Amino acid sequence: MASKQIYQSNQKDDTIYYHVNKIVIFIEKQNKLLSAKKLESFLKYNDEMIVHDISESTRYRNLNHFVLLAKILQKDWVK
């Protein structure tokens, strides 16, 4: 029974690191794709979510939405 509990906690830890790795890879891709102003806003938004202790899965989803909206709207977020 104890080994099953240890396995479950390790599985949960792997999930947490999985989201962190997805965020890091996603940010690296955006360095190449976004303009300088959009990238600056994107990184500030990410920093704000970190400060407000937003979960990694929610951060990833929100960053993804940020990029999708930036592509659709074709405008700077500052405006």
Side-chain angles (χ1 to χ4, degrees):
M1 189 75 161
S3 63
K4 187 175 183 180
Q5 290 175 347
I6 291 171
Y7 176 74
Q8 288 176 345
S9 67
N10 288 342
Q11 187 178 15
K12 187 175 183 179
D13 291 342
D14 290 344
T15 304
I16 292 169
Y17 293 121
Y18 173 73
H19 287 296
V20 172
N21 289 336
K22 280 176 61 173
I23 291 171
V24 169
I25 292 168
F26 188 74
I27 290 173
E28 288 174 358
K29 285 183 183 178
Q30 300 318 308
N31 285 332
K32 299 173 189 171
L33 299 176
L34 294 176
S35 68
K37 288 183 182 180
K38 287 181 185 176
L39 182 62
E40 183 179 347
S41 297
F42 176 79
L43 295 174
K44 283 183 182 179
Y45 181 53
N46 185 45
D47 292 342
E48 283 296 317
M49 287 193 288
I50 292 170
V51 168
H52 292 294
D53 199 28
I54 305 295
S55 72
E56 278 77 17
S57 60
T58 303
R59 276 180 48 220
Y60 179 74
R61 186 187 69 227
N62 290 347
L63 291 173
N64 206 348
H65 288 160
F66 181 99
V67 171
L68 291 173
L69 286 171
K71 288 178 184 177
I72 291 170
L73 298 175
Q74 296 294 318
K75 294 188 178 189
D76 290 329
W77 288 99
V78 177
K79 296 178 183 179

